[in-house]
Amino acid sequence: MKLEDKLYTVGSKPDEAGSHLAIKDPAPCLGPCEALGRPCTTFCPARVYVWATDRITVAYSNCLECTACRTGCPFANIDCRLPRGGFGVAHKYG
Amino acid sequence: MSERFDCIVAGGGLAGLTAAYTMAKAGLKVAVIERGTSPGAKNVMGGVLYRQPTELIFPEFWKSAPVERPVAQQSLWVLGKKGALELGVKNPARTAPPYNAFTVLRAKFDKWLGRQVVDAGALIIPETVATDVILENGAIVGVRTDREDGDLYASAVIAADGVYSQIAWKAGLRREWRPDQVSLAVKEVIALPAERIEDRFHLSDGAGATIELVGDATMGMMGIAFIYTNKDSLSVGVGVMLADLVKHRRNPNDVLENLKAHKVIQPLLAGGVVREYVAHMIPEGGYESIPKLFANGLLVAGDAAQLVNSFHREGSNLAMHSGRLAAETIIEAAKRGDFSATALSRYRDRLDDSFVMKDMKQYAGIGSYLEHRPHYFGVYPDLVNDVLFEFFAIDSIPKREKLRIMFRKALESRSLFGMLRDGVGLIMRLLLKSV
């Protein structure tokens, strides 16, 4: 089963008002993080972070709210917050 | 929101709900701030819930709570690339009281727990994030929330807001976690008819099984995988130390798919339908990672306090026990009208006197010991399986010659000295602390 299909199984209400995730500064991603393989683009369980030519795109509406990106970014360059109350994932089983 | 509470609990998980229930039963005015639509909506566990620790707070909970199956079989599978070594215990008596443990699905179980908390007289405020603490004269007197005019005041606050505890962080009790202090786990709930589950796992009388898997289950990285039986679904997941995922550039979903496709595992899951995919971080830094747990007007419990004994798959019981001890400390503080850090430090004493800190201390350092010896997860599982494959191959080779072949095979992946040091080292680490 593809990850995209798995993400459809997750009950979620994305916050239309905006993203709870952001790359603080594009410089480390372009520069020194390339050599490290830009870890957020590999370890994120929902593959929210994707390298697109010259920057990382953030598909926040797929976020599963594990907050690993905040801890795993080698440059502490991801501003990862929790979605506003009532938004984001709502587990059926958990 | 101008009313004042005796205690505000940030987070409606096992620690927070247990704390709120205990305090409400004692007559305190309590509010639980929960960011999900209801308790459980954001929560994830493997999950095994232990009967005795839960009953200390909710007697005979299994009669009304949504539990899945009583655990009567537990096993550890050492998964190699080509096979598996199984070690297990079967206790049919565990299908009747006194139970030892139940599999649960937290979205359902926590919702039930939330109802008990409300019935006990506490207020649950859903769809609200506790974002910061309110400080007055050096004491925490409430929390900020993401609601408009959302400041809430109380004599004390319990931070039970999980591994990513905003409250403990904003209060300055913890730093950012390091990638070697947390595991990143992903899990699928896979629907499968009850009869199939019972056939495949050899279960009767509604019994449940838990399987923990190491080795190829985590593609040799530091972590563990699991397969737990629910009523008519399986919980299948893997948890890997985040630092290892970063180092090996692996995606946890790929690790899970690797496990599901393994020749030994695939037949257990065949025909199942994935109902949900979730991800969660587990605080696995152990004793050394436990932050300061009290301040003026604040206590920290559960995952927020890094109270997980990953070696024994325990977390839910530590969360509930710490939640209860935090509540008892607040009840005592309320009687004296003293919520200072000195008064609340009794919480730490209570934890130290209980199995919680005794166990956390017992396994102190085991995580970093294993972390620096990656062959436990990356080399031995295949070595053991390859050697046993050879041992059970009946191929007209004399046994003495066979032993030599097995020995040579073992030495291909690890030196004799290395193996001796690893074996003795691990035993010493586990045993010496207990004497």
Side-chain angles (χ1 to χ4, degrees):
Chain A
M1 190 176 189
K2 279 195 198 142
L3 179 63
E4 300 86 84
D5 298 326
K6 277 191 201 183
L7 294 175
Y8 277 117
T9 66
V10 185
S12 182
K13 185 173 153 196
D15 190 347
E16 307 296 343
S19 175
H20 62 287
L21 310 169
I23 305 287
K24 292 181 203 168
D25 174 7
C29 318
L30 257 172
C33 204
E34 186 182 3
L36 300 174
R38 299 188 183 99
C40 66
T41 64
T42 56
F43 72 70
C44 169
R47 291 201 183 270
V48 164
Y49 302 94
V50 176
W51 180 250
T53 326
D54 58 350
R55 69 196 173 91
I56 285 172
T57 59
V58 183
Y60 77 93
S61 57
N62 287 340
C63 175
L64 299 172
E65 299 170 33
C66 70
T67 71
C69 53
R70 187 184 180 99
T71 307
C73 173
F75 297 91
N77 192 32
I78 297 178
D79 184 11
C80 159
R81 294 159 194 244
L82 298 170
R84 274 195 301 154
F87 290 96
V89 298
H91 298 148
K92 296 184 293 277
Y93 305 100
Chain B
M1 292 191 189
S2 59
E3 63 181 319
R4 194 187 162 88
F5 296 93
D6 292 317
C7 186
I8 291 169
V9 179
L14 292 176
L17 293 173
T18 303
Y21 182 84
T22 309
M23 290 185 290
K25 280 278 183 193
L28 266 56
K29 197 173 167 192
V30 180
V32 180
I33 319 237
E34 166 54 42
R35 66 190 188 93
T37 45
S38 62
K42 302 286 186 181
N43 303 349
V44 177
M45 188 163 88
V48 176
L49 185 84
Y50 300 95
R51 191 269 314 163
Q52 189 272 345
T54 310
E55 266 206 303
L56 292 177
I57 304 131
F58 304 100
E60 302 197 320
F61 65 96
W62 71 85
K63 288 187 175 167
S64 54
V67 294
E68 295 295 319
R69 286 172 183 267
V71 178
Q73 296 183 16
Q74 306 192 68
S75 48
L76 172 70
W77 292 14
V78 181
L79 210 59
K81 284 181 193 71
K82 287 177 287 191
L85 165 68
E86 300 183 19
L87 302 158
V89 287
K90 298 189 176 187
N91 301 105
R94 300 285 198 206
T95 54
Y99 302 103
N100 183 45
F102 296 94
T103 51
V104 297
L105 295 162
R106 288 284 302 277
K108 296 178 180 182
F109 186 81
D110 292 16
K111 205 172 196 171
W112 175 88
L113 212 54
R115 279 200 297 273
Q116 313 310 305
V117 169
V118 170
D119 289 348
L123 178 70
I124 295 182
I125 307 172
E127 306 200 355
T128 305
V129 184
T131 54
D132 203 348
V133 293
I134 303 171
L135 265 173
E136 266 173 26
N137 305 319
I140 287 154
V141 294
V143 297
R144 301 243 126 88
T145 72
D146 64 347
R147 295 275 191 116
E148 222 170 292
D149 303 320
D151 287 2
L152 290 165
Y153 289 86
S155 303
V157 172
I158 295 177
D161 45 349
V163 59
Y164 174 85
S165 174
Q166 296 225 90
I167 294 303
W169 187 56
K170 294 276 185 168
L173 294 191
R174 76 163 179 98
R175 295 159 187 260
E176 295 282 351
W177 303 126
R178 292 191 320 261
D180 63 351
Q181 290 176 313
V182 288
S183 274
L184 175 52
V186 292
K187 168 187 157 180
E188 289 177 9
V189 172
I190 301 175
L192 202 62
E195 317 84 71
R196 282 224 190 148
I197 292 176
E198 281 153 20
D199 285 350
R200 288 180 189 180
F201 293 83
H202 312 131
L203 299 166
S204 56
D205 303 324
T210 66
I211 304 171
E212 254 73 32
L213 308 102
V214 293
D216 195 47
T218 57
M219 299 173 95
M221 292 179 287
M222 182 162 160
I224 202 154
F226 59 87
I227 301 172
Y228 298 156
T229 57
N230 303 314
K231 273 195 179 111
D232 49 14
S233 67
L234 302 174
S235 291
V236 183
V238 295
V240 178
M241 185 172 66
L242 182 57
D244 252 13
L245 286 170
V246 170
K247 186 170 130 200
H248 296 279
R249 302 187 182 187
R250 291 240 187 251
N251 183 275
N253 179 55
D254 295 339
V255 184
L256 179 57
E257 287 299 323
N258 176 71
L259 172 71
K260 286 168 66 186
H262 194 287
K263 284 263 191 291
V264 170
I265 305 302
Q266 197 276 333
L268 294 174
L269 315 179
V273 180
V274 179
R275 291 279 188 233
E276 189 172 60
Y277 171 68
V278 294
H280 203 75
M281 280 219 296
I282 308 168
E284 294 199 338
Y287 186 71
E288 301 87 339
S289 299
I290 297 172
K292 190 162 176 259
L293 299 178
F294 56 90
N296 289 318
L298 180 71
L299 292 176
V300 187
D303 276 8
Q306 278 261 2
L307 296 176
V308 169
N309 181 352
S310 39
F311 210 80
H312 282 266
R313 190 192 59 193
E314 290 177 39
S316 57
N317 53 334
L318 305 187
M320 294 175 97
H321 206 77
S322 63
R324 185 162 71 99
L325 296 183
E328 286 171 358
T329 308
I330 302 276
I331 292 165
E332 196 178 79
K335 275 186 197 143
R336 298 196 182 140
D338 179 5
F339 296 92
S340 66
T342 317
L344 296 188
S345 70
R346 277 284 298 136
Y347 170 55
R348 176 69 206 217
D349 300 336
R350 285 168 199 258
L351 280 173
D352 283 340
D353 289 343
S354 76
F355 78 95
V356 174
M357 285 301 178
K358 285 180 182 165
D359 281 357
M360 292 302 293
K361 270 184 207 157
Q362 161 108 31
Y363 291 96
I366 192 83
S368 61
Y369 175 80
L370 292 172
E371 185 190 333
H372 293 105
R373 288 157 187 85
H375 30 269
Y376 283 115
F377 294 91
V379 173
Y380 288 124
D382 264 320
L383 189 157
V384 166
N385 275 286
D386 289 350
V387 164
L388 288 174
F389 188 85
E390 197 61 51
F391 180 76
F392 286 110
I394 305 303
D395 46 12
S396 313
I397 296 172
K399 297 303 175 214
R400 185 181 287 269
E401 174 66 12
K402 206 143 186 102
L403 273 174
R404 257 198 297 274
I405 294 172
M406 283 162 57
F407 200 60
R408 263 206 307 273
K409 220 172 178 93
L411 289 180
E412 278 168 21
S413 37
R414 187 96 179 119
S415 71
L416 182 62
F417 179 68
M419 281 192 271
L420 282 173
R421 205 179 47 183
D422 291 342
V424 174
L426 190 61
I427 290 166
M428 299 270 277
R429 271 223 93 86
L430 293 175
L431 291 188
L432 276 188
K433 294 218 170 168
S434 56
V435 292

